[in-house]
Amino acid sequence: MAERVELWWARRQFSKGTAVPYPVGTYRDAWAAYPALIRQYHPDLNAGITLTQIPPAADVLLCWQCDAGHLFAATPDEQRHRPGRQRRRSAWCPECAQLAAPAPVRAPEAPRPMKRVRRVCDKTPHLAVGEPFVSRCAPAPASAVEARMRADLFARMSLEPGFTAVRLARPFFDHVEAWPDLVLSELRIAVEYDTIGRHGLEHVGRREQADRRKDRLLREAGWEVVRIRTGKLEALGPHDLRISAWGRGSADVLIEAFRLIRGPLLVDAYAR
């Protein structure tokens, strides 16, 4: 392990039994090949010991001063084995070398686009969670089958047919309301009619995930959901019905599902 020059010199004095173990000029020829090191070495920074008194292979820490005035410590071996022996002056000093080759400046990162804050529609009336109402934003019925389902059901039950939405506790996309295909306020049951559509993309994949989220929000609001799943669509909830298509007896099957949810006493009270 390299030691300070004073300690190294004291050990040499003890081992050789003399006050000057290496006379001035002893290693002059050995250092002659390193003029840059001779210029950077100063005896007054190294206990008055000249460079010609130090063997080039000595494991001793010496103080060096570059042409720019920077002081640094290094062993003779570290200085001698720098590539090229006489590199430009800045390369002989660690501080100058760092200044000569500064760290690359990174281009400033482009600001990340701010996430768009989804705004919630302010047209939803301020009602208690779970209250049904006529929404100004609810879309018109999407298919003739939904209109037929509505007509068949209300022909068998005396229910209020005008509601189109249910107030939610949390937003569902841009609204704090849900728009089931049928809103049965007296039973607090929402009915959905699901098909895969003309291109087989409806109510599958991400749209199925949206259906599940909608059902959870309705149940949080105190409603139950009955989905009529047609074709190869699997049931999503405990009360969903799987049928091939809406037919003559489908309304009776749906009303029976209502009885299982709310009980026959309540449901039959609205039967025509």
Side-chain angles (χ1 to χ4, degrees), residues 191-211:
V191 180
E192 301 276 11
Y193 185 80
D194 299 340
T195 70
I196 59 174
R198 179 180 301 177
H199 303 290
L201 300 176
E202 298 292 332
H203 301 285
V204 296
R206 290 187 177 180
R207 299 190 181 186
E208 179 182 310
Q209 296 303 317
D211 289 340

PDB file of all heavy atoms in Angstrom, residues 191-211:
ATOM      1  N   VAL A 191     -82.317  -3.528 -16.790  1.00  0.00           N
ATOM      2  CA  VAL A 191     -82.280  -4.615 -17.765  1.00  0.00           C
ATOM      3  C   VAL A 191     -81.430  -4.182 -18.959  1.00  0.00           C
ATOM      4  O   VAL A 191     -81.589  -3.067 -19.471  1.00  0.00           O
ATOM      5  CB  VAL A 191     -83.700  -4.991 -18.232  1.00  0.00           C
ATOM      6  CG1 VAL A 191     -83.632  -6.135 -19.246  1.00  0.00           C
ATOM      7  CG2 VAL A 191     -84.560  -5.389 -17.040  1.00  0.00           C
ATOM      8  N   GLU A 192     -80.533  -5.064 -19.370  1.00  0.00           N
ATOM      9  CA  GLU A 192     -79.693  -4.809 -20.539  1.00  0.00           C
ATOM     10  C   GLU A 192     -79.883  -5.947 -21.539  1.00  0.00           C
ATOM     11  O   GLU A 192     -79.980  -7.115 -21.142  1.00  0.00           O
ATOM     12  CB  GLU A 192     -78.213  -4.727 -20.147  1.00  0.00           C
ATOM     13  CG  GLU A 192     -77.873  -3.642 -19.139  1.00  0.00           C
ATOM     14  CD  GLU A 192     -77.668  -2.285 -19.790  1.00  0.00           C
ATOM     15  OE1 GLU A 192     -77.993  -2.140 -20.998  1.00  0.00           O
ATOM     16  OE2 GLU A 192     -77.216  -1.360 -19.096  1.00  0.00           O
ATOM     17  N   TYR A 193     -79.927  -5.580 -22.829  1.00  0.00           N
ATOM     18  CA  TYR A 193     -80.048  -6.586 -23.889  1.00  0.00           C
ATOM     19  C   TYR A 193     -78.749  -6.549 -24.686  1.00  0.00           C
ATOM     20  O   TYR A 193     -78.430  -5.554 -25.343  1.00  0.00           O
ATOM     21  CB  TYR A 193     -81.244  -6.267 -24.789  1.00  0.00           C
ATOM     22  CG  TYR A 193     -81.518  -7.316 -25.839  1.00  0.00           C
ATOM     23  CD1 TYR A 193     -82.193  -8.485 -25.529  1.00  0.00           C
ATOM     24  CD2 TYR A 193     -81.080  -7.145 -27.153  1.00  0.00           C
ATOM     25  CE1 TYR A 193     -82.436  -9.450 -26.486  1.00  0.00           C
ATOM     26  CE2 TYR A 193     -81.308  -8.102 -28.124  1.00  0.00           C
ATOM     27  CZ  TYR A 193     -81.995  -9.252 -27.789  1.00  0.00           C
ATOM     28  OH  TYR A 193     -82.233 -10.212 -28.756  1.00  0.00           O
ATOM     29  N   ASP A 194     -77.986  -7.650 -24.619  1.00  0.00           N
ATOM     30  CA  ASP A 194     -76.641  -7.687 -25.207  1.00  0.00           C
ATOM     31  C   ASP A 194     -76.584  -8.656 -26.388  1.00  0.00           C
ATOM     32  O   ASP A 194     -76.998  -9.816 -26.267  1.00  0.00           O
ATOM     33  CB  ASP A 194     -75.607  -8.129 -24.167  1.00  0.00           C
ATOM     34  CG  ASP A 194     -75.541  -7.168 -22.986  1.00  0.00           C
ATOM     35  OD1 ASP A 194     -75.973  -6.024 -23.141  1.00  0.00           O
ATOM     36  OD2 ASP A 194     -75.036  -7.585 -21.913  1.00  0.00           O
ATOM     37  N   THR A 195     -76.030  -8.163 -27.488  1.00  0.00           N
ATOM     38  CA  THR A 195     -75.713  -9.009 -28.639  1.00  0.00           C
ATOM     39  C   THR A 195     -74.286  -8.694 -29.064  1.00  0.00           C
ATOM     40  O   THR A 195     -73.718  -7.661 -28.669  1.00  0.00           O
ATOM     41  CB  THR A 195     -76.674  -8.743 -29.811  1.00  0.00           C
ATOM     42  OG1 THR A 195     -76.409  -7.444 -30.367  1.00  0.00           O
ATOM     43  CG2 THR A 195     -78.131  -8.827 -29.362  1.00  0.00           C
ATOM     44  N   ILE A 196     -73.715  -9.552 -29.880  1.00  0.00           N
ATOM     45  CA  ILE A 196     -72.351  -9.285 -30.355  1.00  0.00           C
ATOM     46  C   ILE A 196     -72.350  -8.320 -31.531  1.00  0.00           C
ATOM     47  O   ILE A 196     -71.289  -7.904 -31.994  1.00  0.00           O
ATOM     48  CB  ILE A 196     -71.636 -10.591 -30.748  1.00  0.00           C
ATOM     49  CG1 ILE A 196     -72.406 -11.322 -31.849  1.00  0.00           C
ATOM     50  CG2 ILE A 196     -71.442 -11.482 -29.541  1.00  0.00           C
ATOM     51  CD1 ILE A 196     -71.680 -12.546 -32.393  1.00  0.00           C
ATOM     52  N   GLY A 197     -73.528  -7.940 -32.024  1.00  0.00           N
ATOM     53  CA  GLY A 197     -73.603  -6.974 -33.109  1.00  0.00           C
ATOM     54  C   GLY A 197     -73.312  -7.563 -34.472  1.00  0.00           C
ATOM     55  O   GLY A 197     -72.986  -8.747 -34.623  1.00  0.00           O
ATOM     56  N   ARG A 198     -73.431  -6.707 -35.453  1.00  0.00           N
ATOM     57  CA  ARG A 198     -73.266  -7.151 -36.848  1.00  0.00           C
ATOM     58  C   ARG A 198     -71.860  -7.664 -37.117  1.00  0.00           C
ATOM     59  O   ARG A 198     -71.661  -8.614 -37.880  1.00  0.00           O
ATOM     60  CB  ARG A 198     -73.590  -5.987 -37.780  1.00  0.00           C
ATOM     61  CG  ARG A 198     -73.443  -6.322 -39.261  1.00  0.00           C
ATOM     62  CD  ARG A 198     -73.776  -5.123 -40.125  1.00  0.00           C
ATOM     63  NE  ARG A 198     -75.150  -4.657 -39.880  1.00  0.00           N
ATOM     64  CZ  ARG A 198     -75.677  -3.586 -40.468  1.00  0.00           C
ATOM     65  NH1 ARG A 198     -74.945  -2.854 -41.284  1.00  0.00           N
ATOM     66  NH2 ARG A 198     -76.917  -3.237 -40.214  1.00  0.00           N
ATOM     67  N   HIS A 199     -70.850  -7.042 -36.514  1.00  0.00           N
ATOM     68  CA  HIS A 199     -69.458  -7.409 -36.780  1.00  0.00           C
ATOM     69  C   HIS A 199     -68.845  -8.256 -35.664  1.00  0.00           C
ATOM     70  O   HIS A 199     -67.641  -8.524 -35.684  1.00  0.00           O
ATOM     71  CB  HIS A 199     -68.628  -6.145 -36.986  1.00  0.00           C
ATOM     72  CG  HIS A 199     -69.121  -5.262 -38.089  1.00  0.00           C
ATOM     73  ND1 HIS A 199     -69.034  -5.603 -39.418  1.00  0.00           N
ATOM     74  CD2 HIS A 199     -69.760  -4.058 -38.042  1.00  0.00           C
ATOM     75  CE1 HIS A 199     -69.560  -4.641 -40.161  1.00  0.00           C
ATOM     76  NE2 HIS A 199     -70.012  -3.682 -39.354  1.00  0.00           N
ATOM     77  N   GLY A 200     -69.637  -8.673 -34.709  1.00  0.00           N
ATOM     78  CA  GLY A 200     -69.146  -9.539 -33.637  1.00  0.00           C
ATOM     79  C   GLY A 200     -68.246  -8.861 -32.640  1.00  0.00           C
ATOM     80  O   GLY A 200     -67.457  -9.532 -31.960  1.00  0.00           O
ATOM     81  N   LEU A 201     -68.336  -7.526 -32.487  1.00  0.00           N
ATOM     82  CA  LEU A 201     -67.440  -6.788 -31.613  1.00  0.00           C
ATOM     83  C   LEU A 201     -68.137  -6.190 -30.399  1.00  0.00           C
ATOM     84  O   LEU A 201     -67.471  -5.658 -29.498  1.00  0.00           O
ATOM     85  CB  LEU A 201     -66.757  -5.656 -32.406  1.00  0.00           C
ATOM     86  CG  LEU A 201     -65.914  -6.093 -33.607  1.00  0.00           C
ATOM     87  CD1 LEU A 201     -65.390  -4.884 -34.346  1.00  0.00           C
ATOM     88  CD2 LEU A 201     -64.772  -6.993 -33.168  1.00  0.00           C
ATOM     89  N   GLU A 202     -69.453  -6.251 -30.368  1.00  0.00           N
ATOM     90  CA  GLU A 202     -70.179  -5.647 -29.258  1.00  0.00           C
ATOM     91  C   GLU A 202     -70.131  -6.548 -28.016  1.00  0.00           C
ATOM     92  O   GLU A 202     -70.223  -7.774 -28.122  1.00  0.00           O
ATOM     93  CB  GLU A 202     -71.637  -5.396 -29.649  1.00  0.00           C
ATOM     94  CG  GLU A 202     -71.802  -4.428 -30.823  1.00  0.00           C
ATOM     95  CD  GLU A 202     -71.385  -3.021 -30.464  1.00  0.00           C
ATOM     96  OE1 GLU A 202     -71.478  -2.662 -29.266  1.00  0.00           O
ATOM     97  OE2 GLU A 202     -70.957  -2.274 -31.365  1.00  0.00           O
ATOM     98  N   HIS A 203     -69.960  -5.913 -26.858  1.00  0.00           N
ATOM     99  CA  HIS A 203     -70.020  -6.597 -25.553  1.00  0.00           C
ATOM    100  C   HIS A 203     -68.983  -7.704 -25.406  1.00  0.00           C
ATOM    101  O   HIS A 203     -69.202  -8.696 -24.722  1.00  0.00           O
ATOM    102  CB  HIS A 203     -71.429  -7.163 -25.317  1.00  0.00           C
ATOM    103  CG  HIS A 203     -72.488  -6.109 -25.336  1.00  0.00           C
ATOM    104  ND1 HIS A 203     -72.693  -5.228 -24.301  1.00  0.00           N
ATOM    105  CD2 HIS A 203     -73.415  -5.780 -26.294  1.00  0.00           C
ATOM    106  CE1 HIS A 203     -73.697  -4.419 -24.598  1.00  0.00           C
ATOM    107  NE2 HIS A 203     -74.141  -4.720 -25.804  1.00  0.00           N
ATOM    108  N   VAL A 204     -67.825  -7.525 -26.058  1.00  0.00           N
ATOM    109  CA  VAL A 204     -66.695  -8.443 -25.896  1.00  0.00           C
ATOM    110  C   VAL A 204     -65.450  -7.597 -25.643  1.00  0.00           C
ATOM    111  O   VAL A 204     -65.406  -6.413 -25.967  1.00  0.00           O
ATOM    112  CB  VAL A 204     -66.498  -9.350 -27.128  1.00  0.00           C
ATOM    113  CG1 VAL A 204     -67.689 -10.269 -27.314  1.00  0.00           C
ATOM    114  CG2 VAL A 204     -66.267  -8.519 -28.393  1.00  0.00           C
ATOM    115  N   GLY A 205     -64.415  -8.228 -25.074  1.00  0.00           N
ATOM    116  CA  GLY A 205     -63.158  -7.519 -24.852  1.00  0.00           C
ATOM    117  C   GLY A 205     -63.317  -6.344 -23.907  1.00  0.00           C
ATOM    118  O   GLY A 205     -63.878  -6.449 -22.820  1.00  0.00           O
ATOM    119  N   ARG A 206     -62.853  -5.179 -24.349  1.00  0.00           N
ATOM    120  CA  ARG A 206     -62.927  -3.992 -23.504  1.00  0.00           C
ATOM    121  C   ARG A 206     -64.367  -3.583 -23.227  1.00  0.00           C
ATOM    122  O   ARG A 206     -64.672  -3.046 -22.164  1.00  0.00           O
ATOM    123  CB  ARG A 206     -62.178  -2.836 -24.170  1.00  0.00           C
ATOM    124  CG  ARG A 206     -60.661  -3.008 -24.196  1.00  0.00           C
ATOM    125  CD  ARG A 206     -59.976  -1.770 -24.718  1.00  0.00           C
ATOM    126  NE  ARG A 206     -58.530  -1.894 -24.689  1.00  0.00           N
ATOM    127  CZ  ARG A 206     -57.690  -0.941 -25.089  1.00  0.00           C
ATOM    128  NH1 ARG A 206     -58.169   0.204 -25.532  1.00  0.00           N
ATOM    129  NH2 ARG A 206     -56.390  -1.129 -25.030  1.00  0.00           N
ATOM    130  N   ARG A 207     -65.230  -3.831 -24.181  1.00  0.00           N
ATOM    131  CA  ARG A 207     -66.627  -3.457 -23.967  1.00  0.00           C
ATOM    132  C   ARG A 207     -67.267  -4.342 -22.894  1.00  0.00           C
ATOM    133  O   ARG A 207     -68.136  -3.893 -22.160  1.00  0.00           O
ATOM    134  CB  ARG A 207     -67.390  -3.543 -25.290  1.00  0.00           C
ATOM    135  CG  ARG A 207     -66.822  -2.595 -26.342  1.00  0.00           C
ATOM    136  CD  ARG A 207     -67.699  -2.486 -27.552  1.00  0.00           C
ATOM    137  NE  ARG A 207     -67.109  -1.590 -28.555  1.00  0.00           N
ATOM    138  CZ  ARG A 207     -67.713  -1.221 -29.681  1.00  0.00           C
ATOM    139  NH1 ARG A 207     -68.928  -1.667 -29.948  1.00  0.00           N
ATOM    140  NH2 ARG A 207     -67.120  -0.406 -30.520  1.00  0.00           N
ATOM    141  N   GLU A 208     -66.820  -5.573 -22.827  1.00  0.00           N
ATOM    142  CA  GLU A 208     -67.312  -6.432 -21.750  1.00  0.00           C
ATOM    143  C   GLU A 208     -66.829  -5.914 -20.399  1.00  0.00           C
ATOM    144  O   GLU A 208     -67.579  -5.929 -19.408  1.00  0.00           O
ATOM    145  CB  GLU A 208     -66.846  -7.873 -21.958  1.00  0.00           C
ATOM    146  CG  GLU A 208     -67.307  -8.815 -20.858  1.00  0.00           C
ATOM    147  CD  GLU A 208     -66.808 -10.235 -21.046  1.00  0.00           C
ATOM    148  OE1 GLU A 208     -66.975 -10.766 -22.163  1.00  0.00           O
ATOM    149  OE2 GLU A 208     -66.237 -10.795 -20.085  1.00  0.00           O
ATOM    150  N   GLN A 209     -65.569  -5.440 -20.353  1.00  0.00           N
ATOM    151  CA  GLN A 209     -65.065  -4.880 -19.108  1.00  0.00           C
ATOM    152  C   GLN A 209     -65.865  -3.647 -18.701  1.00  0.00           C
ATOM    153  O   GLN A 209     -66.131  -3.425 -17.513  1.00  0.00           O
ATOM    154  CB  GLN A 209     -63.580  -4.518 -19.266  1.00  0.00           C
ATOM    155  CG  GLN A 209     -62.667  -5.705 -19.522  1.00  0.00           C
ATOM    156  CD  GLN A 209     -62.762  -6.753 -18.431  1.00  0.00           C
ATOM    157  OE1 GLN A 209     -62.797  -6.423 -17.239  1.00  0.00           O
ATOM    158  NE2 GLN A 209     -62.809  -8.019 -18.817  1.00  0.00           N
ATOM    159  N   ALA A 210     -66.253  -2.837 -19.686  1.00  0.00           N
ATOM    160  CA  ALA A 210     -67.083  -1.668 -19.381  1.00  0.00           C
ATOM    161  C   ALA A 210     -68.448  -2.103 -18.858  1.00  0.00           C
ATOM    162  O   ALA A 210     -69.008  -1.475 -17.942  1.00  0.00           O
ATOM    163  CB  ALA A 210     -67.230  -0.801 -20.629  1.00  0.00           C
ATOM    164  N   ASP A 211     -69.000  -3.187 -19.427  1.00  0.00           N
ATOM    165  CA  ASP A 211     -70.287  -3.704 -18.927  1.00  0.00           C
ATOM    166  C   ASP A 211     -70.169  -4.140 -17.474  1.00  0.00           C
ATOM    167  O   ASP A 211     -71.057  -3.858 -16.649  1.00  0.00           O
ATOM    168  CB  ASP A 211     -70.750  -4.883 -19.787  1.00  0.00           C
ATOM    169  CG  ASP A 211     -71.193  -4.462 -21.184  1.00  0.00           C
ATOM    170  OD1 ASP A 211     -71.494  -3.266 -21.365  1.00  0.00           O
ATOM    171  OD2 ASP A 211     -71.244  -5.324 -22.079  1.00  0.00           O
TER     172      ASP A 211
END
